[in-house]
Amino acid sequence: MRSNHFLDEVSSYIRSKEAKKYIEAELKAHLHQAKTELVKKGYTEDEAEEMAVRKMGSPADIGQKMDKLHRPKIDWKLMSMFLFMSVTGLFLFWFLFKDGNSFSVLKQVYSVTGSVILACVLLFFDYRKLQRWGWAFFTVGCLILYQFQFSNVFVHGSPRINIIGLLSVDSIVVLPLFLLAWAGMLQSKKMNVYLAAILYICSAFLFMVTVNLQAVALYSLMVAVMVWKSGLNKRKIIITAAVLLTACVSLLLISLKDIRAYQFERLYAFVTPERFSETSGYMPLKLEKLIEDAGWIGHLGSHRENDFFNEMMTDFIFVTITYTLGWAGALLIGLLFLWMIWRISRIFQTVKDPFGKMLVSGSFAIFTAQVTVSIGMSLGLLPIISISLPFMSYGALSAMINAFMFGLVLSVYHKKDIIRMKKI
């Protein structure tokens, strides 16, 4: 059998066009090497080619094995858990509001449906096409943050802008852009620790102007994890981070004189909420009471008796879950989140593409921070801030951002074996 016929038969069993190209090149190189060695031993060109092909084995067996090994794969475990958690959050919201605001339920249905569609679209999208646009994503993200300065709409002191007049969003909306931006920029040969520090300071300042501490914290953690996991010099990263941290602490100490009494009270209320039971300590004490009263089986039939329950479908959704489903239900949800975090970390370890690793590490940082802070805050382990619990909290923005990250992670996993073969 001639080598070209052999390669054609092997390729006929491989379904991925991209994988087929690299497998053909790899097999062709092996055949050429084997043929060259046989010619040196005295065989003619035709004899050497036929013997080299024969030594390769059955083209059908090789084609089937290569197809199974290198075809794009879907992480069905993570995808199934993403769908399960999305549906669970939607069902919980419907259960709590089916006799209340039907419009809110309908909005949540649209949000979850849209997030699932977005994740599925990104799953089959070739994320590598986004790598060269890192600097463009960073520029667009900064320009959007700059637009918040001209907003006339404020919620809890934080400006918001409207997207096509349909959705009012805060500055956290640009996190996906900066995720793509840093993943791409960290692959640039021009990037170094000092340039990364300058870019972070400029963008973090724009975040600070939007008075959204949640967005600043998530963004800072994302950048820190991605820079640390990049190929930049670790020693320089530690020194630069120490300098930035020292500068931040110094500025904080200088600004203490401008902090108002009620802001100090919020900090004190976290440590001793009983002293401020009528003001800043009221909510922590109320949450603690709900957690204690939940028991192992919860209060499915009496959850609507709480007049403040509707307000707890966003930041304090985990308290709602605990009170409704009991400690057993809350423990199950917590373990499912823990499994998702572990699964994403495993994907990071198996991915070889540097750009893909940056996308997974940034998504891991944002998702883990949201889960940790939201649950910790609900259990009284962390101060109360405004942060959503992925898949569970009400709101389209949170659903879409988390769907975007999971779609990217699934897309990276989808291509990981093809990229590994390409590098070989």
Side-chain angles (χ1 to χ4, degrees):
M1 180 184 292
R2 304 289 295 183
S3 59
N4 58 335
H5 294 153
F6 174 81
L7 293 174
D8 288 342
E9 188 169 348
V10 171
S11 299
S12 66
Y13 291 94
I14 302 171
R15 283 168 283 186
S16 171
K17 293 182 180 179
E18 188 175 9
K20 183 182 299 186
K21 179 175 62 175
Y22 295 118
I23 290 172
E24 286 180 350
E26 184 180 352
L27 292 176
K28 192 173 183 179
H30 285 307
L31 286 171
H32 178 73
Q33 182 180 2
K35 178 181 174 181
T36 302
E37 292 176 355
L38 289 169
V39 169
K40 288 180 180 180
K41 292 180 179 180
Y43 294 97
T44 64
E45 291 277 340
D46 291 341
E47 291 174 339
E49 182 175 353
E50 188 172 342
M51 291 178 65
V53 169
R54 195 159 52 243
K55 288 182 179 180
M56 292 293 291
S58 168
D61 291 342
I62 295 175
Q64 291 171 2
K65 289 179 181 178
M66 288 292 185
D67 176 66
K68 185 177 180 180
L69 183 62
H70 296 297
R71 68 186 178 194
K73 296 180 177 65
I74 297 176
D75 189 341
W76 289 110
K77 294 179 180 179
L78 186 61
M79 185 64 182
S80 300
M81 189 57 66
F82 166 77
L83 294 174
F84 175 78
M85 295 295 273
S86 297
V87 172
T88 299
L90 179 59
F91 175 79
L92 177 64
F93 189 84
W94 170 81
F95 177 74
L96 296 171
F97 279 84
K98 60 183 178 182
D99 298 327
N101 192 337
S102 59
F103 179 69
S104 296
V105 175
L106 186 60
K107 285 176 62 178
Q108 191 68 353
V109 170
Y110 289 150
S111 298
V112 173
T113 303
S115 66
V116 170
I117 292 174
L118 175 61
C120 291
V121 170
L122 288 174
L123 164 61
F124 296 104
F125 177 76
D126 189 351
Y127 72 92
R128 294 168 294 175
K129 295 179 180 180
L130 302 172
Q131 179 173 342
R132 62 192 182 97
W133 297 100
W135 296 97
F137 286 128
F138 185 84
T139 303
V140 172
C142 289
L143 290 174
I144 293 175
L145 286 177
Y146 182 71
Q147 293 301 313
F148 278 90
Q149 299 182 44
F150 306 102
S151 173
N152 295 321
V153 180
F154 291 84
V155 177
H156 302 303
S158 180
R160 290 175 174 257
I161 58 176
N162 290 321
I163 298 180
I164 322 177
L166 299 176
L167 184 65
S168 176
V169 298
D170 57 26
S171 55
I172 203 172
V173 71
V174 298
L175 270 183
L177 284 176
F178 281 108
L179 171 63
L180 296 174
W182 280 99
M185 293 188 303
L186 288 170
Q187 307 310 309
S188 173
K189 295 180 179 179
K190 299 178 181 179
M191 181 58 68
N192 56 59
V193 174
Y194 307 117
L195 177 58
I198 293 172
L199 293 172
Y200 165 72
I201 292 171
C202 294
S203 52
F205 174 77
L206 290 173
F207 267 110
M208 290 292 292
V209 173
T210 65
V211 200
N212 190 339
L213 295 181
Q214 170 199 1
V216 175
L218 290 177
Y219 176 66
S220 300
L221 180 63
M222 181 196 77
V223 174
V225 171
M226 294 177 74
V227 170
W228 182 256
K229 292 296 184 180
S230 69
L232 298 180
N233 186 282
K234 293 290 190 293
R235 181 173 176 272
K236 291 182 178 179
I237 292 174
I238 294 174
I239 294 173
T240 305
V243 172
L244 289 175
L245 185 60
T246 302
C248 289
V249 172
S250 300
L251 290 173
L252 180 61
L253 293 175
I254 293 172
S255 63
L256 284 178
K257 59 183 178 61
D258 298 323
I259 297 180
R260 299 179 181 179
Y262 75 89
Q263 293 174 317
F264 275 116
E265 183 181 304
R266 289 179 181 176
L267 297 176
Y268 297 146
F270 169 65
V271 181
T272 56
E274 297 82 6
R275 292 177 52 193
F276 307 92
S277 58
E278 299 298 326
T279 54
S280 299
Y282 176 73
M283 185 57 74
L285 290 173
K286 180 183 290 187
L287 299 179
E288 182 181 352
K289 184 68 166 56
L290 285 172
I291 294 292
E292 291 177 352
D293 293 343
W296 282 105
I297 59 175
H299 303 278
L300 283 174
S302 60
H303 64 277
R304 295 183 187 87
E305 295 176 5
N306 296 311
D307 57 357
F308 53 85
F309 218 77
N310 292 358
E311 303 169 3
M312 299 178 65
M313 292 305 299
T314 51
D315 299 338
F316 306 118
I317 183 64
F318 193 74
V319 178
T320 304
I321 293 172
T322 305
Y323 186 80
T324 305
L325 304 180
W327 299 335
L331 179 61
L332 176 60
I333 295 294
L335 289 175
L336 292 178
F337 274 120
L338 187 62
W339 183 89
M340 297 177 82
I341 292 171
W342 172 82
R343 188 64 186 173
I344 296 174
S345 69
R346 289 288 298 166
I347 291 176
F348 175 82
Q349 294 172 5
T350 60
V351 171
K352 302 302 179 184
D353 176 43
F355 179 61
K357 289 182 80 72
M358 289 296 97
L359 291 175
V360 176
S361 64
S363 300
F364 173 84
I366 296 174
F367 180 73
T368 303
Q370 289 181 93
V371 173
T372 303
V373 175
S374 181
I375 295 179
M377 176 183 66
S378 298
L379 298 178
L381 303 176
L382 295 173
I384 293 177
I385 62 173
S386 178
I387 193 165
S388 300
L389 182 62
F391 311 118
M392 300 293 157
S393 294
Y394 173 74
L397 182 58
S398 174
M400 299 304 285
I401 288 177
N402 284 288
F404 181 87
M405 293 188 300
F406 269 81
L408 286 179
V409 172
L410 290 167
S411 177
V412 172
Y413 185 90
H414 190 236
K415 294 286 186 181
K416 70 182 182 68
D417 289 330
I418 292 177
I419 294 173
R420 182 186 293 119
M421 177 183 55
K422 178 182 177 180
K423 292 183 179 296
I424 294 174

